[in-house]
Amino acid sequence: MGNDFEIVCEIEPPTRPDIRHVRHQIGVLAPVAHAFLIPDNHIGRATVSSIAVAHEVTAMGGRSIACLNSRDRNLLGFQRDMLTAAAYGVDEFLFVHGDKPTAGERAGELTVRTMIAEARAMGERPGFTRPRIGVAAGLRRLPAWKREADFVFAQMCFDVGAQLRWRDLAALERPVYAGVLVLASAGMARRLSATIPDIDIPAALVERVEADPRSGVAAACEQVEALRASGAFDGVHLVTVSRYREVALTLQR
């Protein structure tokens, strides 16, 4: 891969008090990843803190981006997390709304927009470093306030043509990372289609994966290469799910 094209690999944070699997993912993906994104209670379930895992990435010599959602926080909780991040030297974030929780309700006090404003204000305080903040974007018109983010992670998509058209129309002057997802199984495709209406998974790809689960890895790596060759994006946000070993080997080749 070219030096200017970054692969940001998403780490699967643990749902139990054991981070050995996190360390293994980091070690396996380190040869191909320029940075690691750590989700925050993704899919609405409780996991180890993204800030704690981001600190673990740094301790292993990697670069981390900690995801923080507005769903689980009030203002005081957010300030606590930013203070903790500053103490750990974590200063890159992806702020998101958050999926529907599987337990409890949304906190409701914060939005992504107010999180950005508060984080930047805190970054001006003594002892803090100005954080680098990214936002997520669907493949549609981007709100003006999101254009002020330091970088943008575009929605997962299986169509390179659609990704390139959106990139051209968005005309962003910030680093933009295209979303690439490894389809691990046909069952995963059905679950995604049922829960994420905006995602369009090609039937031909689902058939290939049903016949040979390794096809999902090959398709994702081909998509990464096509996006790199296009020169339209600064990198990819690559979600490998359980296939991180196969993805690392394929990209290394």
Side-chain angles (χ1 to χ4, degrees), residues 234-252:
D234 298 271
V236 292
H237 164 209
L238 178 59
V239 181
T240 63
V241 290
S242 60
R243 305 292 184 186
Y244 61 94
R245 300 174 189 82
E246 297 97 317
V247 168
L249 286 171
T250 303
L251 290 179
Q252 282 180 282

Side-chain angles (χ1 to χ4, degrees), residues 129-238:
T129 300
R130 185 185 188 279
R132 186 167 180 262
I133 301 169
V135 295
L139 300 187
R140 61 181 74 87
R141 184 178 177 275
L142 197 65
W145 63 268
K146 284 193 174 185
R147 290 178 171 273
E148 300 304 314
D150 296 306
F151 60 92
V152 174
F153 274 24
Q155 176 186 319
M156 296 294 152
C157 180
F158 294 89
D159 184 345
V160 172
Q163 289 173 309
L164 294 177
R165 289 190 294 274
W166 174 82
R167 181 69 183 93
D168 187 52
L169 290 171
L172 283 161
E173 297 181 359
R174 300 282 192 273
V176 183
Y177 299 83
V180 177
L181 174 65
V182 175
L183 194 63
S185 67
M188 176 184 175
R190 288 189 285 271
R191 287 192 298 275
L192 287 173
S193 297
T195 57
I196 309 176
D198 290 343
I199 197 165
D200 184 14
I201 306 174
L205 175 59
V206 177
E207 290 173 4
R208 284 168 56 196
V209 171
E210 193 156 34
D212 180 2
R214 294 171 298 181
S215 297
V217 172
C221 292
E222 289 165 7
Q223 185 177 356
V224 169
E225 175 56 26
L227 290 164
R228 184 203 65 80
S230 75
F233 289 90
D234 298 271
V236 292
H237 164 209
L238 178 59

